[in-house]
Amino acid sequence: GMGESGGPIEDLLTHHWGYDTQSGRDSTFLTAFALLLMISFLLSWFLTQRWKIKILPEACVVLTVGLVGGFLCKGMYGVTNEEFFTRPLLDFDNALFFLGLLPPIIFNSGYDLHPNWLFGLFGPILWYALAGTLISAVIVGSWLAIVTKLGWGGPEDISFAETLTFGALISATDPVSVLAVFLELKVDPKMFYLVFGESVLNDAVGIVLFKTFSKYVGEDTKWTSIFIALADFIVIFLGSMLLGFACAILASLSIRALRVPDEILLENIQSPSDNNNDQMQQNNNKNEEEEFKEQIEASRRSQLAILLTLVWLPAFFAELVQMSGIVATLFSAIGIRHWGMPNFQEKNEYDKTQRDQVESLLSTLAHLADTAVFLYLGLSVPAAVNDWRKHYSHAFVTWALFACIIGRAVHVYALSRIVNHQALLKVKKRFREGSIRGSRDAARKALDAATIPPPMQHMLFFSGLRGAVAFSCAHIFPNKAGHRPLFEVTTTTIIIISMYILGATTVPVLRYLKIPTHCIVERPDSPVMRSSSPWSGPSTPSSASINDNSNGSPVSNPMSSTTTAHDVVPRPSEQLRTLAMIDSSYIYPALVRGTPRSRPKHATSPSSSSPSNDQLHDPTRFSSTPAQSVEMVSMDGAFSSSSSNIPTHSPALGELSNVTPIDYDDDDDDPATPRALA
């Protein structure tokens, strides 16, 4: 340091350059981490895009980079300074995972969940995510408890609470790589949204279960604890969900407040182009235009900033009040997509730049976070080698893997039977009441839309990869009995095995099960916003057949090798439709600017004038007519007949089909046969 005595030269010589060693160590580690991130991105891009080597999915490539990098660092530093590499890595805070890296991943998933498919498949998704995760957790927990008690593997003093907690964390699936393959091959939308919806909700459920069970580790548990745990779970889940929607409402109002007022927009669109060559007038117009552009830019910037803040806010806030950050983030993203998106600033009705920017921003953030998690996972393996020598139990890992497979199988196949049985009963009832009009063929179509065929069940069972969420939970496993390292090691092993084996075999399995891929969308300029979900517009028009016969008619047999995709969105349940009506009558108009309360049943096609804002952002997709028919009409259809090139946008939950609005009439019509209204 700087001494009092001595000249400046002496001070310079004795001065300790740089910072303290702690920050030096951290920055070394972070530099290495950032460089490895870059290597991961470059490698995975070259492997998958340039050289078309599709054996390893991207997540596995990143994991491999982490493993190799970890062993290299360990080899380089391990000789002289074991601490140097290992400590900062293993001290890496879990707050970083749960509050830093997971929210962008979950937020992007929620934002991408296409409302139609989510609500159409809400029944099965809810069954799989809620009941399924619970079943899986209980099976894994009970099985491992029995195994350790019998002395077949693992320490014998492991409590049931601990194995249950482990069951909950290992039941959180994370099929990143499977979904990436689905996206690339444009898999049947129904298949995609089943796996996607289940995995997103199941992460949320798994984490809440994990938190609930881990409270009982090391405590004396009574029978009554089960009911308290259940109540705890329900309170946390519903509380976090409401909190998420509250954040979404806050976001939508903030984004709305940041818009350039509509009067200014209209003035600029309708400014008359006078023919008089008045130089001053032209200059004035130019200045006004510049000013207008700047105003729009500023508005967009602020909206994006608010949106980015809201990727993390729900998680921070939820953890503050002891709720689940993941659940809150998920529902806040779904809400922001629905109420916030129509409030984004556009230059005019056809301007989609802001929506595209938001899409790419969110997916980039999620991609970055995902890569960081898998890289960290890979790096932590060599760093924890000492733990592995002490705690790795071959038998325990094998039994745990076995239990995971059994748990997944029971939950997928048993619950699919329930789902299909319910669907059958519903369709029979509607057929008896005469609400499905026409032949048995119509009923069969309705049933096909609502049931999950065996190949899809097999694929669902297969896509139970474990990943980021399980890994993050293992790091905060309750360590009262000193068993955390064992569970960490077991979790990491299961994740790596499942990712390499299941990730690399996704494509062959898809082909073997003959699940429809390359579902073609008729209109690429779909009115619904271009999403990073599988099809250029998330809703698929009625011609999603792949291989047409020579005469151009789609192949009819649904399970032959040339398959017609499930292009009919399943019919949402009555309760959901009631909720949607409440939303479109009260909540939506309050949150989205310029939404009229009602509209004529058939919107007129725009002649020369462009559609008004009110028409574009019309939420009323369920308008009750005197005939009491509940119709789901998206505005897309109203314009698509006359002027197909006008990119309209319906922000509603009812964006059902871009080509023809589907009219659901409760009394007579069959939802599986779209019928043009206009």
Side-chain angles (χ1 to χ4, degrees):
M2 301 289 266
E4 289 297 317
S5 61
I9 309 282
E10 200 179 319
D11 288 346
L12 271 178
L13 292 174
T14 54
H15 177 70
H16 168 66
W17 294 105
Y19 302 113
D20 55 352
T21 48
Q22 177 57 40
S23 69
R25 233 170 51 180
D26 288 352
S27 51
T28 311
F29 169 65
L30 289 171
T31 311
F33 194 78
L35 286 173
L36 283 171
L37 262 181
M38 285 179 65
I39 293 172
S40 308
F41 288 129
L42 287 168
L43 239 179
S44 54
W45 193 83
F46 272 102
L47 282 174
T48 53
Q49 304 302 321
R50 281 289 286 279
W51 302 325
K52 304 284 181 207
I53 299 171
K54 293 290 162 65
I55 302 166
L56 277 189
E58 201 166 341
C60 294
V61 174
V62 179
L63 194 61
T64 314
V65 170
L67 285 166
V68 173
F71 279 112
L72 280 177
C73 285
K74 200 177 168 63
M76 277 156 45
Y77 290 123
V79 193
T80 52
N81 185 355
E82 174 74 14
E83 293 284 286
F84 195 77
F85 166 69
T86 322
R87 280 285 69 97
L89 179 65
L90 291 182
D91 294 345
F92 225 39
D93 200 357
N94 284 299
L96 180 82
F97 266 126
F98 277 105
L99 299 177
L101 296 175
L102 280 181
I105 298 174
I106 302 285
F107 192 93
N108 187 48
S109 307
Y111 196 84
D112 262 1
L113 266 184
H114 191 247
N116 273 351
W117 283 97
L118 175 66
F119 287 93
L121 294 168
F122 203 64
I125 288 174
L126 217 59
W127 269 108
Y128 291 136
L130 280 172
T133 312
L134 191 63
I135 290 171
S136 177
V138 170
I139 287 178
V140 174
S142 316
W143 181 250
L144 285 178
I146 294 168
V147 166
T148 48
K149 287 287 170 291
L150 291 174
W152 291 353
E156 290 183 24
D157 59 336
I158 289 184
S159 65
F160 187 43
E162 281 182 292
T163 54
L164 265 183
T165 309
F166 175 71
L169 79 89
I170 209 73
S171 300
T173 59
D174 186 21
V176 179
S177 40
V178 171
L179 289 173
V181 172
F182 280 9
L183 278 176
E184 201 175 318
L185 296 180
K186 296 190 170 55
V187 166
D188 184 340
K190 183 173 172 182
M191 181 76 255
F192 180 87
Y193 282 107
L194 269 175
V195 173
F196 186 39
E198 192 246 357
S199 74
V200 171
L201 265 179
N202 140 300
D203 282 352
V205 176
I207 286 182
V208 178
L209 272 179
F210 170 76
K211 287 194 163 174
T212 308
F213 288 149
S214 52
K215 287 178 187 171
Y216 294 101
V217 172
E219 305 292 316
D220 293 331
T221 45
K222 299 187 282 294
W223 272 107
T224 46
S225 317
I226 296 177
F227 300 107
I228 297 171
L230 209 71
D232 195 37
F233 173 78
I234 293 166
V235 167
I236 291 183
F237 199 85
L238 291 179
S240 312
M241 185 168 149
L242 289 173
L243 206 141
F245 280 135
C247 285
I249 287 171
L250 175 76
S252 308
L253 290 173
S254 314
I255 292 173
R256 182 181 173 176
L258 291 171
R259 285 184 64 85
V260 174
D262 280 353
E263 305 83 71
I264 300 182
L265 273 179
L266 285 172
E267 256 173 51
N268 261 283
I269 293 167
Q270 295 163 355
S271 58
S273 51
D274 292 331
N275 290 335
N276 57 355
N277 292 333
D278 188 348
Q279 192 65 39
M280 217 165 105
Q281 181 67 36
Q282 276 182 1
N283 283 350
N284 267 354
N285 285 357
K286 255 199 187 129
N287 289 345
E288 269 175 25
E289 218 169 88
E290 286 298 312
E291 212 174 291
F292 171 64
K293 270 186 186 157
E294 271 170 29
Q295 215 172 345
I296 282 209
E297 274 309 303
S299 151
R300 281 185 173 163
R301 253 200 320 274
S302 316
Q303 285 183 336
L304 275 180
I306 287 254
L307 188 82
L308 273 184
T309 320
L310 265 130
V311 171
W312 285 277
L313 181 72
F316 297 162
F317 192 45
E319 297 294 331
L320 178 76
V321 293
Q322 303 282 306
M323 292 284 162
S324 162
I326 299 296
V327 183
T329 307
L330 174 64
F331 286 100
S332 124
I334 293 174
I336 290 177
R337 158 89 185 244
H338 176 50
W339 297 313
M341 205 169 66
N343 288 329
F344 287 145
Q345 180 68 62
E346 299 106 0
K347 287 199 183 69
N348 51 41
E349 293 93 349
Y350 316 133
D351 177 18
K352 287 272 195 301
T353 42
Q354 178 77 331
R355 272 180 214 138
D356 290 349
Q357 266 181 336
V358 168
E359 283 281 304
S360 55
L361 194 72
L362 290 177
S363 58
T364 307
L365 258 182
H367 184 55
L368 188 65
D370 236 349
T371 310
V373 171
F374 284 120
L375 182 63
Y376 183 70
L377 199 154
L379 281 169
S380 72
V381 173
V385 162
N386 293 345
D387 289 352
W388 285 61
R389 289 206 193 99
K390 276 204 289 278
H391 299 281
Y392 178 79
S393 156
H394 213 68
F396 192 73
V397 171
T398 313
W399 285 121
L401 256 174
F402 178 70
C404 286
I405 294 169
I406 300 295
R408 182 85 185 158
V410 170
H411 110 228
V412 170
Y413 296 116
L415 292 178
S416 299
R417 284 197 69 155
I418 298 176
V419 166
N420 288 350
H421 185 64
Q422 280 185 333
L424 183 68
L425 292 181
K426 267 187 195 156
V427 171
K428 272 185 177 165
K429 183 178 165 222
R430 282 174 48 217
F431 193 67
R432 271 204 307 278
E433 289 169 356
S435 70
I436 298 181
R437 194 176 51 191
S439 59
R440 289 186 172 278
D441 193 42
R444 201 169 293 118
K445 263 188 177 166
L447 186 63
D448 187 47
T451 52
I452 296 157
M456 285 198 182
Q457 294 177 28
H458 302 325
M459 194 67 221
L460 254 175
F461 162 66
F462 181 82
S463 45
L465 285 83
R466 310 303 197 257
V469 176
F471 180 66
S472 315
C473 286
H475 270 255
I476 54 168
F477 196 89
N479 203 13
K480 284 179 186 158
H483 291 144
R484 181 188 292 167
L486 170 76
F487 286 113
E488 274 185 343
V489 167
T490 310
T491 308
T492 310
T493 315
I494 290 178
I495 292 171
I496 291 175
I497 291 174
S498 79
M499 274 183 59
Y500 280 114
I501 295 179
L502 300 182
T505 48
T506 308
V507 182
V509 171
L510 265 178
R511 297 229 169 91
Y512 176 74
L513 292 174
K514 298 191 170 63
I515 287 173
T517 50
H518 301 290
C519 300
I520 301 154
V521 178
E522 204 174 62
R523 277 173 57 202
D525 59 319
S526 95
V528 185
M529 55 172 286
R530 183 186 60 70
S531 164
S532 53
S533 43
W535 303 274
S536 50
S539 41
T540 47
S542 354
S543 62
S545 66
I546 320 147
N547 302 27
D548 288 11
N549 289 336
S550 47
N551 59 5
S553 64
V555 180
S556 53
N557 174 8
M559 276 307 148
S560 67
S561 53
T562 49
T563 322
T564 311
H566 288 81
D567 49 331
V568 180
V569 180
R571 176 196 185 92
S573 66
E574 292 303 315
Q575 297 87 334
L576 279 172
R577 293 162 73 182
T578 316
L579 276 177
M581 282 177 88
I582 294 170
D583 172 56
S584 65
S585 324
Y586 304 107
I587 307 172
Y588 195 91
L591 295 179
V592 177
R593 45 120 194 128
T595 42
R597 289 262 161 187
S598 62
R599 70 173 173 88
K601 180 164 178 174
H602 296 292
T604 50
S605 294
S607 44
S608 54
S609 64
S610 60
S612 68
N613 259 346
D614 295 353
Q615 279 176 312
L616 279 173
H617 297 286
D618 181 357
T620 38
R621 56 260 138 154
F622 302 113
S623 67
S624 286
T625 54
Q628 281 304 301
S629 68
V630 179
E631 63 162 5
M632 296 172 124
V633 183
S634 71
M635 287 303 298
D636 311 336
F639 303 119
S640 66
S641 52
S642 64
S643 43
S644 55
N645 56 350
I646 295 185
T648 60
H649 166 67
S650 156
L653 288 181
E655 311 160 289
L656 266 170
S657 158
N658 313 335
V659 184
T660 47
I662 297 179
D663 184 10
Y664 280 141
D665 269 345
D666 268 8
D667 348 83
D668 53 13
D669 219 358
D670 152 42
T673 49
R675 176 177 69 137
L677 292 170

